[in-house]
Amino acid sequence: MALLDRARSSTPAVLSAGASWLPQRRRLAIIAGLLAAAMTWLIVMALVAVGWAMSPQGTTGFTDVVGVASAAWFLANGGRITIDGITLGVVPLGFWVIATWITARGWARIRQSSPRSVSTDARDYLAGYGAFIVLAGLLTMLGHARPDPSAFLVSWLVPSLALCIDLARHPDELDRNSLLVRVWQATPAWARDAVRPATHALAGMSILALLTVALAVVVHWSTVSQIADSVAPGAMGSLILILIQLAYVPTLALWALSFVAGPGFQVATEGSITLAGSHPGLLPMVPVLGAIPVDAIYPPVAWVAVLLPVGVGVLMGRTALRGSSGDTTWRHQFGTLCAAAGLAAGAVGAICLIASGPAGSGRLASVGPSPAPMVGALAVELALGGLLWWAYERYVRATRSRTEAE
């Protein structure tokens, strides 16, 4: 980390020598945004380069590797890519999270050291990140993989989300007269109060989904290990395969969340994995996909699993009511709970929309959960859990308190 920090601090000074026509602070913000994107690109490049070094190279040169790595970078940032007519759009959300964290760290350095307004620094930081998006698009021309035109826009979500998260954690950094502050102040109080419980609901759903994936891997470990032995990629190949699968664990967690919520997901066309039964179809030879249940019809009692998201909604309701003052009306509390459920479910739906897509042609043309049913199910389940806690606080606990007082 110390070496990385020295690289971050020294590189802007070197690059800025050729850009003296720009004001220094603007130069630093632009270069910081460009470097944040470049660091995430280097991670993808390292994985692709190791894979290239281990494989029979044939006519594939290093320039092709750079092109493929640049296209893979777009995929890791949420975009779709096409390789030899085959479209890939299932996003490794693990890398997406890492890229967001790296970008947020780079932005935090600029925000803390710059005397300029946050909006000005954000504009220049995003401009630097955008410059690297263009550069990465040009580099894809060295290989045979191409990003979808929409990938150039979707890649902006990483720096945009990083800035939003950082500014949400440090709202005092914003200018009181800025548009964001004015919009926030004009937002109804019940809607503002929904943000905190919505983040708690997202955290709860993330834990629930990851635990579901871990449980599925443990239960089906024999199948997972059997597929891994069949693939037999060698020592370094196994390491790369493990890293890639780890990058997709949050994506699998999204599938698991849709499963326990009710709508389920699909991997192969005309296949489905829901609480009613598992009909996965013919799956690719990827070890972690061995954790997907085999073909079976589940008993109706399996639908009890939907109580897990409802339980997350109960925790969301507890957070919402604990953060509200005692003089808030029931309409305010009701609106806060419903808004929190909508925000959390909508955020999951947005991630689902980014992460799901084709993993090839034919039977892999649509992989992952469908966003609309998933959002609807989660919104209802979270709202139900939150309202259950609201009813408990309003009637059961209040009645008990009055009885004890008498």
Side-chain angles (χ1 to χ4, degrees), residues 40-381:
T40 60
W41 180 87
L42 285 174
I43 296 175
V44 178
M45 181 65 203
L47 290 174
V48 175
V50 172
W52 169 76
M54 294 176 52
S55 62
Q57 296 175 13
T59 58
T60 303
F62 189 73
T63 54
D64 293 316
V65 176
V66 174
V68 171
S70 300
W73 180 80
F74 278 100
L75 176 65
N77 279 273
R80 296 188 176 189
I81 64 174
T82 302
I83 304 177
D84 296 331
I86 298 175
T87 302
L88 301 177
V90 181
V91 176
L93 288 178
F95 184 88
W96 197 72
V97 171
I98 292 174
T100 303
W101 178 79
I102 291 175
T103 306
R105 284 289 303 273
W107 160 250
R109 289 173 176 271
I110 293 298
R111 176 182 53 77
Q112 293 168 2
S113 62
S114 176
R116 302 191 305 168
S117 66
V118 169
S119 59
T120 303
D121 281 327
R123 177 201 64 195
D124 295 337
Y125 189 81
L126 291 174
Y129 200 100
F132 191 87
I133 292 176
V134 174
L135 175 60
L138 294 175
L139 289 176
T140 60
M141 300 177 68
L142 298 175
H144 56 280
R146 296 288 184 272
D148 187 86
S150 63
F152 289 89
L153 295 177
V154 175
S155 296
W156 281 87
L157 290 177
V158 169
S160 301
L161 180 62
L163 266 65
C164 289
I165 293 175
D166 181 77
L167 292 176
R169 295 177 59 195
H170 304 89
D172 295 339
E173 299 286 342
L174 289 170
D175 183 1
R176 294 185 179 275
N177 295 321
S178 65
L179 177 62
L180 285 176
V181 173
R182 293 201 304 270
V183 170
W184 177 254
Q185 292 174 344
T187 303
W190 57 265
R192 293 199 302 266
D193 291 343
V195 175
R196 185 168 176 266
T199 57
H200 282 233
L202 286 172
M205 287 189 291
S206 299
I207 295 172
L208 170 62
L210 289 172
L211 289 177
T212 305
V213 172
L215 178 62
V217 171
V218 170
V219 171
H220 300 92
W221 178 250
S222 60
T223 305
V224 173
S225 59
Q226 184 179 357
I227 297 175
D229 293 337
S230 301
V231 175
M236 284 300 297
S238 297
L239 177 60
I240 294 176
L241 184 60
I242 290 173
L243 291 176
I244 293 175
Q245 290 180 106
L246 287 175
Y248 274 99
V249 164
T251 307
L252 298 177
L254 189 68
W255 300 2
L257 181 61
S258 184
F259 174 75
V260 298
F265 63 94
Q266 70 173 32
V267 178
T269 303
E270 298 182 357
S272 64
I273 298 91
T274 68
L275 293 175
S278 176
H279 310 286
L282 186 61
L283 301 178
M285 288 291 288
V286 179
V288 73
L289 293 183
I292 294 178
V294 296
D295 202 289
I297 297 177
Y298 301 143
V301 71
W303 287 94
V304 174
V306 300
L307 294 179
L308 295 173
V310 173
V312 174
V314 170
L315 296 177
M316 180 195 73
R318 185 172 183 269
T319 302
L321 297 184
R322 187 169 53 182
S324 63
S325 58
D327 57 350
T328 54
T329 64
W330 70 267
R331 293 183 180 85
H332 179 105
Q333 295 174 345
F334 185 86
T336 297
L337 290 172
C338 292
L343 281 174
V348 173
I351 296 173
C352 180
L353 190 63
I354 295 169
S356 301
S361 58
R363 59 189 176 87
L364 299 177
S366 180
V367 177
S370 181
M374 187 178 183
V375 170
L378 285 175
V380 170
E381 290 158 2

